[in-house]
Amino acid sequence: DPLWSRGLGDVYKRQALLLWATRMVRTGVMRAYGSQLRRFLGSATKNTVSSFGMGIGMAGILQSSTATALLTVAFASKGLIAIAPALAVMLGADVGSTLVVQVLSLDISWLSPVLILIGLISFTTRPTMTLRHLGRVFIGLGLMLLSLKLVVAASEPMRDSETLQNILVPLSQEPVIAVILAALITWITHSSVAMVLLIMSLTVAGVVPMALGFTLVLGANVGAGIVPFALTMGETPVGRRIPLGNLLFRVGGVLLILPFMTILSPYISEISGGDLGRQIANFHTAFNIILALVFLPLVGVMTKLMERALPDRPGEASDLKPKYLDEAVVNTPTVAVACATRELLRLADVVESMLGKVIDVFATNDPVLLSEVSKLDDQVDELHEAIKLYLTQVSKNKLNQEDSARCVELIAFTTNLEHIGDIIDKNLLE
């Protein structure tokens, strides 16, 4: 089917631009204000309500509930946020990401060249590093608006495609399959915002029927919960409880509302008026608000459930492994350097402990204590290697002079500490 193949190819190209633009906005914000956002997240999670509000703000700024989830998991893994407030942050982030869709559903495509021009000036003139990163944000926003307009234009010829109709008719009659398909696509693209915007564009172009569009939005919300869950599979049980709890919230909400979609669809369309794009955006927002109202009082119950499902296993957290090297912020040099500094202080504590114990070994000739000092050297070697690799990753970014000098200092200091550990282990102990 020429209409199908050509139209689908054009839509994929525009979707790739939309995904890239979304990533530009997220990385720009993190590089400009990453450390401040992390500090605010840590200070505003004292209770459920403030945590929920913080989640809305974080996801709205980062344009990604996934990015908010990764930051929250990093804090929870270090014991800086309890599980219940962290789940409240995630419910807020789900609502916050819908606000981005609401703004982009407005007819503001005329802003695209203005934002790109402002961003280009800020990015190329480089008055300060912060303005340079904000320039990236403006360029990303402009490209997002442009890509949405291009997706609508590219998908219009697909309305007459027989192949597409043969796919959509069964999907409309099988809502469970439609939800699963949308969830998988969202997981692959790693962006629920981009997926909902694509559904909105295809609905406006008349390619996707409105009722099916609502069902696909439910699938996109499930997929948005799968993304952080999959990305944190290697975390400790504490870190994995948050994305799993959030995924269960989303799946539970979809299971509750899916049987009533045929009843609710006409009312949603009537409330939103004739604007097809607004109907998709309003349904997406309404679903997440209802999700928050239903499950926010239940975060304590979900916390207990997650503690049973993912219990702490004795001895799982090895002292040999780094605790503060957060891979999620490796592209944000200022925050990443702070993480490496904290890990380096931990390494210095281990080396100091080695030196203190080796003096006791000289005094007592205790073979058990001697063995402990030797094991500490293994920890020094492990942390030294991890810090060096982490800072090497950080240095691949375009660093300002201060961050670049700091990375060199930290690597040199780490190397010196590792040398001290070797002298204690291979010379003093002998």
Side-chain angles (χ1 to χ4, degrees):
D1 187 343
L3 289 173
W4 162 256
S5 58
R6 185 177 65 251
L8 186 62
D10 290 341
V11 168
Y12 277 154
K13 293 174 186 176
R14 275 66 172 181
Q15 173 73 349
L17 177 61
L18 179 59
L19 287 171
W20 179 252
T22 305
R23 183 182 183 280
M24 283 188 70
V25 174
R26 183 167 63 252
T27 55
V29 171
M30 283 301 296
R31 291 178 183 180
Y33 301 109
S35 56
Q36 291 94 323
L37 290 176
R38 289 170 66 87
R39 187 164 59 250
F40 290 151
L41 179 61
S43 62
T45 52
K46 304 303 181 185
N47 57 67
T48 302
V49 176
S50 64
S51 299
F52 177 73
M54 188 62 194
I56 294 176
M58 290 283 290
I61 294 171
L62 295 174
Q63 303 203 3
S64 171
S65 58
T66 301
T68 307
L70 294 177
L71 284 173
T72 308
V73 168
F75 269 68
S77 298
K78 297 174 177 61
L80 302 177
I81 302 179
I83 303 301
L87 289 171
V89 169
M90 290 309 304
L91 288 171
D94 298 341
V95 175
S97 64
T98 70
L99 301 181
V100 180
V101 176
Q102 284 287 348
V103 173
L104 295 176
S105 67
L106 301 172
D107 185 15
I108 53 175
S109 58
W110 57 271
L111 265 178
S112 176
V114 177
L115 292 172
I116 293 175
L117 179 60
I118 295 173
L120 187 62
I121 294 172
S122 298
F123 191 80
T124 54
T125 55
R126 307 182 186 183
T128 64
M129 287 301 294
T130 298
L131 286 178
R132 174 182 167 84
H133 296 320
L134 288 178
R136 178 189 294 269
V137 173
F138 283 120
I139 293 174
L141 290 172
L143 291 177
M144 287 179 74
L145 296 176
L146 175 63
S147 62
L148 289 174
K149 187 175 181 180
L150 293 175
V151 167
V152 174
S155 57
E156 285 180 353
M158 297 172 65
R159 285 180 296 183
D160 301 322
S161 167
E162 294 182 4
T163 303
L164 184 61
Q165 296 304 319
N166 292 334
I167 294 174
L168 292 180
V169 170
L171 272 182
S172 300
Q173 298 172 354
E174 297 290 343
V176 175
I177 295 177
V179 168
I180 294 173
L181 178 63
L184 289 175
I185 296 174
T186 305
W187 174 45
I188 292 170
T189 58
H190 275 48
S191 175
S192 61
V193 171
M195 183 61 185
V196 173
L197 291 175
L198 177 63
I199 296 169
M200 184 179 69
S201 300
L202 296 177
T203 305
V204 170
V207 177
V208 174
M210 182 56 65
L212 178 58
F214 290 151
T215 306
L216 292 175
V217 167
L218 292 178
N221 278 277
V222 174
I226 295 175
V227 175
F229 175 73
L231 291 175
T232 56
M233 289 295 290
E235 290 285 342
T236 61
V238 174
R240 283 158 43 211
R241 289 169 192 162
I242 300 164
L244 178 58
N246 180 58
L247 177 59
L248 292 179
F249 282 151
R250 289 178 182 255
V251 172
V254 170
L255 292 177
L256 287 174
I257 200 172
L258 193 59
F260 305 102
M261 282 304 299
T262 54
I263 302 173
L264 295 175
S265 295
Y267 292 102
I268 297 169
S269 301
E270 184 178 346
I271 293 172
S272 302
D275 190 331
L276 301 180
R278 302 281 321 152
Q279 291 180 36
I280 294 293
N282 289 343
F283 174 71
H284 181 46
T285 302
F287 171 75
N288 282 279
I289 290 176
I290 292 172
L291 202 68
L293 292 175
V294 172
F295 291 112
L296 197 59
L298 302 177
V299 292
V301 176
M302 181 60 75
T303 298
K304 294 179 180 178
L305 180 63
M306 289 300 95
E307 288 174 348
R308 291 184 178 182
L310 295 170
D312 293 321
R313 291 190 288 272
E316 182 176 2
S318 171
D319 286 337
L320 295 177
K321 301 299 181 182
K323 293 181 178 180
Y324 306 105
L325 301 181
D326 190 352
E327 295 291 340
V329 299
V330 74
N331 292 323
T332 310
T334 303
V335 184
V337 168
C339 293
T341 303
R342 184 66 189 88
E343 195 68 52
L344 184 54
L345 290 174
R346 179 176 172 230
L347 173 58
D349 289 339
V350 177
V351 173
E352 183 183 19
S353 176
M354 286 181 69
L355 188 57
K357 288 184 177 182
V358 79
I359 295 173
D360 293 336
V361 172
F362 277 122
T364 63
N365 198 26
D366 185 349
V368 176
L369 195 56
L370 187 147
S371 178
E372 289 180 6
V373 176
S374 187
K375 288 180 180 179
L376 285 177
D377 184 60
D378 294 336
Q379 184 180 357
V380 170
D381 292 339
E382 185 81 19
L383 294 178
H384 163 251
E385 188 70 20
I387 294 171
K388 279 204 311 181
L389 290 175
Y390 186 78
L391 289 172
T392 301
Q393 286 182 281
V394 174
S395 64
K396 292 179 181 178
N397 297 293
K398 292 184 179 178
L399 307 180
N400 58 33
Q401 188 174 358
E402 181 182 353
D403 287 337
S404 179
R406 185 65 171 166
C407 282
V408 173
E409 290 175 354
L410 292 176
I411 291 175
F413 196 75
T414 304
T415 303
N416 288 335
L417 287 176
E418 196 270 339
H419 287 168
I420 295 172
D422 286 343
I423 292 170
I424 294 173
D425 182 47
K426 294 177 175 57
N427 296 99
L428 296 183
L429 285 186
E430 206 173 299

